[in-house]
Amino acid sequence: MRTIRVIDSHTAGEPTRLVMEGGPDLGDGPLEVRARRFRERFDEYRSAIVNEPRGSDPLVGALLLKPNREDCQFGVIFFNNVGYLGMCGHGTIGLIASLAHAGQCRPGAHRIDTPVGPVDTRLRADGQVEVDNVTSHRLARQVAVTVPGFGEVRGDVAWGGNWFFLIDQHGLHIDPDQVEVLTDFTWRVRQALNSQGHPQVDHVELFAPSANAQADGRNFVLCPGKAYDRSPCGTGTSAKLACLAADDQLAEGETWIQESLIGSSFAARYRWVNRERGEVAPTITGSAHVTAEALLLLDPADPFCWGF
Ligand code: PYC
């Protein structure tokens, strides 16, 4: 029987399952090459680790690897119920918290190798984790898309380590009791976008003011496999920062508190990388809690051994 050793955590309510041992052997090379190998040759491991019956739709997997870049301490590939992520903000916070729990990292700076570039993290003495995410930018402003059943919807297309469509004007309430309505709307937006010239967008993000005076706004983020992000989404918040910076709505270094659908939050700020090109370096701060240490058992006699 195969076994996979994992540490589970949640970051602002969003779960991460870190694979410490027993994952697929992806060999050496750049993380983007190893991510391709994972997808092409070992995808059944992704399904076995995060899908039912061992996992659930919102669960993000993180395969811990040796880095390729010499200046990195760890390498990681993130994956979910339907595929692979370029970067994952909540997952990186979960990764550092889990490695600290396992005694593999101490407070201080840790550089992580990912398929979309190196990411600097700092584990603070208070347990908070700061993530300097990959350079983020807005590709297109107020793109119009025709959504069957809803009409014309406008939003920004932006990169924050994954591709997002960010919508401010939607007329919906971002409330936990509206999850089905929000999921239906954002799923239709995504389908329309993908067939109307934006095939790369796989996350849709809605914004509304927050009732919490400490927060600058609340979001709802639909992930590629139709689960919504319980956290404020680190890469989605990075995409938001790129849009705020481009619109002169948030100054370099100023803090933006992004609240999630469930009321958890990340603190975010940026510095300009290239103002003319609208490129920003976002920093996302949040915390994660370890929820389990486990050995996944892959029994060949189990008809659902590789997940469904
Ligand atoms: O925090 O970047 C994030 C993220 C992406 C998908 C789920 N969480």
Side-chain angles (χ1 to χ4, degrees), residues 99-173:
L99 289 173
H101 172 82
Q104 292 196 22
C105 82
R106 300 169 61 81
H110 306 278
R111 179 170 275 202
I112 316 288
D113 204 356
T114 83
V116 290
V119 168
D120 282 314
T121 67
R122 287 169 297 283
L123 172 61
R124 299 192 330 208
D126 64 1
Q128 296 260 310
V129 180
E130 297 183 350
V131 180
D132 296 339
N133 193 13
V134 295
T135 300
S136 302
H137 70 283
R138 178 166 70 186
L139 180 72
R141 185 175 179 279
Q142 291 303 290
V143 171
V145 58
T146 306
V147 183
F150 289 95
E152 187 182 274
V153 174
R154 284 176 182 270
D156 292 356
V157 176
W159 168 257
N162 296 297
W163 281 105
F164 290 83
F165 191 64
L166 301 95
I167 307 171
D168 283 323
Q169 303 300 323
H170 42 75
L172 301 176
H173 294 289

Side-chain angles (χ1 to χ4, degrees), residues 165-186 204-212 215-222 228-233 240 256-264:
F165 191 64
L166 301 95
I167 307 171
D168 283 323
Q169 303 300 323
H170 42 75
L172 301 176
H173 294 289
I174 302 194
D175 246 26
D177 64 3
Q178 297 296 305
V179 162
E180 282 172 25
V181 175
L182 295 164
T183 301
D184 178 55
F185 173 67
T186 47
V204 177
E205 188 168 8
L206 309 180
F207 294 92
S210 168
N212 174 359
D216 292 294
R218 174 176 272 212
N219 69 6
F220 172 87
V221 182
L222 187 77
Y228 73 92
D229 195 334
R230 276 67 172 160
S231 85
C233 192
K240 175 69 174 174
W256 177 266
I257 304 291
Q258 185 62 63
E259 188 183 46
S260 72
L261 180 74
I262 67 162
S264 57

